[in-house]
Amino acid sequence: MSKPTVAIVGRPNVGKSTIFNRIVGERLAIVEDMPGVTRDRLYGPGEWLNYTFNVIDTGGIELGDEPLRVQMRAQAQIAMDEADVILFIVDGKDGLTHADEEVAQILYRSDKPVVLGVNKIDNFKQRENLYEFYSLGLGDPIGISGSHGIGIGDLLDSVVSHFEQEEKDEYDETTIKFSLIGRPNVGKSSLVNAILGEERVIVSDIAGTTRDAIDTPFTRDNQEYVIIDTAGIRKRGKVYEKTEKYSVLRAQKAIEGSDVVLVVINGEEGIIEQDKKIAGYAHEAGRAIVIVVNKWDAVEKDTKTMDQFKRKIREQFQYLSYAPIVFLSAKTKQKLVNLLPTIQMVAENHAMRIQTSLLNDVINDATAITPPPSDKGKRLKIYYATQVSVKPPAFVLFVNDPELMHFSYQRYLENKIRDTFGFIGTPIRVMVRRKNEQ
């Protein structure tokens, strides 16, 4: 069962991004400081009263040179399409505007619950500014201050009250759920059809022809799988064709429900910047990753072509050094036989759990070969390590002083863990804690 989604809408400069940052907090920290990892804060995780949910900041959805009114309507429409609850932010200092009324008119046509937040209510005297917003007909306005954090709890209380009781995942935990992400026209639909052996989705040379998303379960060699198909754009008008970030949003939702993500690249066109951005979402989400180079049949090749392409991928996707690369053709099914075994392997590594004793043997050997760093006469001591979670595998090192752990030494220990246990296809997380911390 995917998590509920909350979309934040409103006219410009009402504080949507400030509210977004308040809700997601530091949970959206960048995992790797390497080129190609996205800094886009369009979409993030929120948590309140035992609920976890996704938050969309529609203010980041821009439509190039389109007039502001068209942009606002587009953002509201995207929110209505994608969200379970819509958080409508207005400005308590500016008061009710015609633009607010226009957004409200769009939201009336939605069958989604709307929570009205009046931002910039920074003190008790300003609460009387709430009353005029009752005329929007969207229920009780909630006074908040995004910059000071006032009223955010009340706002989230109202938001989560609209969530339905969370249902259990309908698939067994041994089922491998995977999605295909990539820019339009890399051949995702053709690859889905090739894997399933049937013409299930629309295939066209025109970018963006996939119109809907349906999770497709199937079994191969006694292993159950589910393809979480990134539908891309549902054709409701030109507005969707004009925003790359809309399709990125759809990809993020598919990533969330996946164990394994296939980053599909067009072998004919090579790697472009958008490929790196899309792959960055899967990496930050901690999903197992396979890089798939599709349309390999159409590439003019010699004995060095594949190795050269691999080198380019490793250069452009430095943060995905752990991800295996599969070259194939969905059209001719060339090398397709290699794909599912690779997916199964990385899924198993993604869920791998290491015995504490073995893990500590590796850490002890690593520190014996290269002693921990010291600072101002004080040396880092690593007392022990333990694995705290899977999907992705995460480890905690208990030390005397976390400040003494230089990032390069932490990376060294991470590499030793990876070299010993493999973890092909999955990111791993290594965290540092003071020994007396609980």
Side-chain angles (χ1 to χ4, degrees):
M1 181 73 178
S2 61
K3 291 183 287 189
T5 297
V6 178
I8 304 175
V9 303
R11 60 185 175 82
N13 302 318
V14 295
K16 295 189 297 295
S17 293
T18 304
I19 304 300
F20 174 83
N21 290 335
R22 278 281 176 190
I23 295 173
V24 304
E26 294 181 354
R27 296 171 58 83
L28 210 60
I30 301 300
V31 176
E32 300 279 6
D33 187 16
M34 285 187 176
V37 181
T38 178
R39 262 71 179 157
D40 200 322
R41 295 178 69 85
L42 175 71
Y43 185 95
E47 188 173 331
W48 187 253
L49 300 180
N50 298 319
Y51 289 96
T52 57
F53 50 95
N54 298 310
V55 190
I56 306 169
D57 179 7
T58 63
I61 300 172
E62 299 170 357
L63 301 177
D65 298 328
E66 290 290 341
L68 188 60
R69 181 174 296 180
V70 175
Q71 293 222 25
M72 287 169 48
R73 295 179 73 88
Q75 291 167 9
Q77 186 65 54
I78 289 169
M80 289 194 298
D81 292 344
E82 299 299 333
D84 299 290
V85 180
I86 298 169
L87 182 51
F88 180 23
I89 302 297
V90 294
D91 188 323
K93 285 186 177 177
D94 288 352
L96 182 63
T97 68
H98 181 64
D100 294 328
E101 293 173 339
E102 280 200 22
V103 175
Q105 286 293 332
I106 299 169
L107 298 182
Y108 289 147
R109 296 193 290 272
S110 163
D111 59 353
K112 308 291 176 66
V114 178
V115 175
L116 179 60
V118 183
N119 195 22
K120 306 181 185 179
I121 303 297
D122 299 331
N123 56 58
F124 187 77
K125 287 183 179 179
Q126 292 175 336
R127 292 190 62 81
E128 62 187 40
N129 297 352
L130 296 177
Y131 300 121
E132 65 178 315
F133 292 101
Y134 275 97
S135 65
L136 290 174
L138 293 172
D140 294 336
I142 300 171
I144 58 174
S145 171
S147 58
H148 297 100
I150 298 169
I152 300 298
D154 293 338
L155 189 74
L156 291 175
D157 283 347
S158 181
V159 167
V160 302
S161 71
H162 295 288
F163 293 164
E164 295 180 3
Q165 197 67 30
E166 192 168 337
E167 299 175 15
K168 292 184 178 179
D169 194 322
E170 61 183 296
Y171 302 112
D172 188 90
E173 64 178 21
T174 60
T175 300
I176 298 172
K177 293 170 285 187
F178 68 94
S179 58
L180 294 77
I181 65 172
R183 54 193 170 87
N185 210 30
V186 295
K188 297 188 295 294
S189 297
S190 298
L191 188 51
V192 169
N193 290 338
I195 292 168
L196 296 173
E198 58 183 87
E199 291 295 316
R200 193 191 65 84
V201 293
I202 300 167
V203 177
S204 168
D205 289 334
I206 302 169
T209 50
T210 310
R211 299 289 176 240
D212 209 349
I214 302 172
D215 294 353
T216 308
F218 68 99
T219 303
R220 195 70 50 83
D221 297 327
N222 297 318
Q223 171 64 52
E224 294 182 350
Y225 299 89
V226 174
I227 298 179
I228 300 173
D229 189 10
T230 41
I233 295 162
R234 293 194 190 107
K235 188 89 165 181
R236 291 193 181 91
K238 290 183 179 179
V239 60
Y240 295 102
E241 308 295 345
K242 293 182 179 178
T243 171
E244 168 196 316
K245 289 185 178 179
Y246 179 71
S247 56
V248 168
L249 172 62
R250 301 302 304 266
Q252 288 173 314
K253 294 185 76 171
I255 288 166
E256 176 203 320
S258 303
D259 300 308
V260 180
V261 174
L262 309 187
V263 178
V264 186
I265 297 170
N266 185 331
E268 287 183 288
E269 297 178 2
I271 301 161
I272 67 168
E273 197 62 32
Q274 192 181 344
D275 291 324
K276 292 188 284 185
K277 176 180 283 192
I278 291 172
Y281 291 118
H283 172 74
E284 287 187 3
R287 299 301 185 257
I289 294 175
V290 178
I291 299 173
V292 177
V293 182
N294 191 23
K295 306 190 180 183
W296 196 240
D297 61 304
V299 177
E300 290 188 18
K301 297 178 282 290
D302 58 29
T303 55
K304 298 179 181 178
T305 306
M306 185 177 290
D307 287 339
Q308 290 171 346
F309 206 104
K310 281 183 179 179
R311 278 197 298 273
K312 286 182 182 177
I313 289 174
R314 294 308 182 198
E315 288 170 3
Q316 297 291 322
F317 296 90
Q318 292 181 30
Y319 58 95
L320 296 184
S321 58
Y322 56 83
I325 304 170
V326 176
F327 292 81
L328 54 76
S329 167
K331 183 178 180 180
T332 67
K333 301 191 178 179
Q334 173 190 352
K335 298 184 182 294
L336 185 65
V337 69
N338 299 328
L339 185 57
L340 286 179
T342 304
I343 291 171
Q344 185 171 358
M345 174 190 67
V346 302
E348 289 171 355
N349 291 339
H350 194 229
M352 187 191 302
R353 191 173 289 278
I354 305 300
Q355 287 184 7
T356 301
S357 58
L358 293 177
L359 177 64
N360 283 279
D361 286 344
V362 171
I363 298 299
N364 291 336
D365 289 346
T367 55
I369 295 168
T370 304
S374 59
D375 183 38
K376 298 177 182 177
K378 188 176 182 182
R379 183 170 294 279
L380 173 71
K381 293 181 181 178
I382 301 176
Y383 297 111
Y384 65 95
T386 187
Q387 185 172 357
V388 292
S389 64
V390 296
K391 297 185 178 183
F395 305 90
V396 172
L397 305 176
F398 289 92
V399 303
N400 58 332
D401 185 354
E403 295 295 322
L404 295 172
M405 176 66 82
H406 193 271
F407 76 89
S408 61
Y409 196 75
Q410 187 170 336
R411 181 65 56 81
Y412 161 72
L413 295 176
E414 180 181 320
N415 289 338
K416 286 295 181 183
I417 293 171
R418 187 179 289 283
D419 291 346
T420 304
F421 300 110
F423 290 118
I424 295 170
T426 179
I428 62 174
R429 308 284 190 243
V430 176
M431 298 162 283
V432 182
R433 298 285 185 272
R434 194 179 298 273
K435 186 182 177 183
N436 59 3
E437 288 183 358
Q438 298 298 317

